[in-house]
Amino acid sequence: DKEDDYYRQLVKANDASLPSVLDQVQGKHDNNGARGVGEAVDPLAAAYCAPESSSFKSPALLPILEAAADKLLAAQHADGTIDSGNLSSPPDTGFVVQTVCTALAVLQRKNLPQLSSVNNKLERFLLAAGEALRAVDEIDIRSIEMPAAATSKPQLTEAFRNRVATIANVHG
């Protein structure tokens, strides 16, 4: 059906993006430092966990996921924030939290022993980042701008609004 076809297209596109994602994590090009690494964790987790992916449970992805988690922890300040163009930036930290939360949820759902180290590191990163974001009064999750790509697709626009509303309700 159409949803399955769309899902397979997403998996295929994710697989096609992996060379660039691997370059990002391995530091071959710098795309906003920790923010770029945080963005890379999401497609890596998807590739590792999606049975339809050509990288499904690939042992080659484990050290890359581990390296990404290590880089995130190394980039994190004692207050839980990261630098990504802006120093000790709660907004940049929030952007990373969004993608890392999704990745961690996918990785944890698999409940695989080989992912325990990565999961523990990502969880540590998120807990510290969450404390930093909780401590900052001026951040209002409802003020996050919708990605430009989402505005051209009504279903994505609605999904984004629902996600923001859910986060806003949980975090006051």
Side-chain angles (χ1 to χ4, degrees), residues 91-119:
D92 288 326
T93 302
F95 291 125
V96 173
V97 163
Q98 184 175 14
T99 56
V100 174
C101 278
T102 304
L104 182 59
V106 168
L107 293 169
Q108 287 178 331
R109 194 167 293 145
K110 284 296 181 187
N111 197 26
L112 298 170
Q114 63 267 34
L115 293 173
S116 64
S117 175
V118 171
N119 289 349

Side-chain angles (χ1 to χ4, degrees), residues 44-56:
L44 290 169
Y48 191 84
C49 295
E52 301 81 3
S53 173
S54 60
S55 296
F56 178 57

Side-chain angles (χ1 to χ4, degrees), residues 68-77 120-122 124-126 128:
D70 288 339
K71 285 185 177 192
L72 288 171
L73 287 169
Q76 195 168 46
H77 296 287
N120 289 336
K121 289 176 182 181
L122 293 177
R124 275 194 352 247
F125 173 83
L126 289 172

Side-chain angles (χ1 to χ4, degrees), residues 19-30:
S20 176
V21 170
L22 298 176
D23 285 349
Q24 180 61 41
V25 174
Q26 295 167 345
K28 293 183 180 172
H29 55 80
D30 186 29

Side-chain angles (χ1 to χ4, degrees), residues 2 23 34 102 142 151 159 170:
K2 279 187 170 183
D23 285 349
T102 304
R142 290 167 283 257
T151 60
V170 169

Side-chain angles (χ1 to χ4, degrees), residues 146 151 154-168:
M146 187 177 316
T151 60
Q155 70 276 20
L156 292 179
T157 303
E158 185 62 28
F160 183 83
R161 286 190 181 124
N162 290 339
R163 188 170 185 184
V164 169
T166 300
I167 293 169

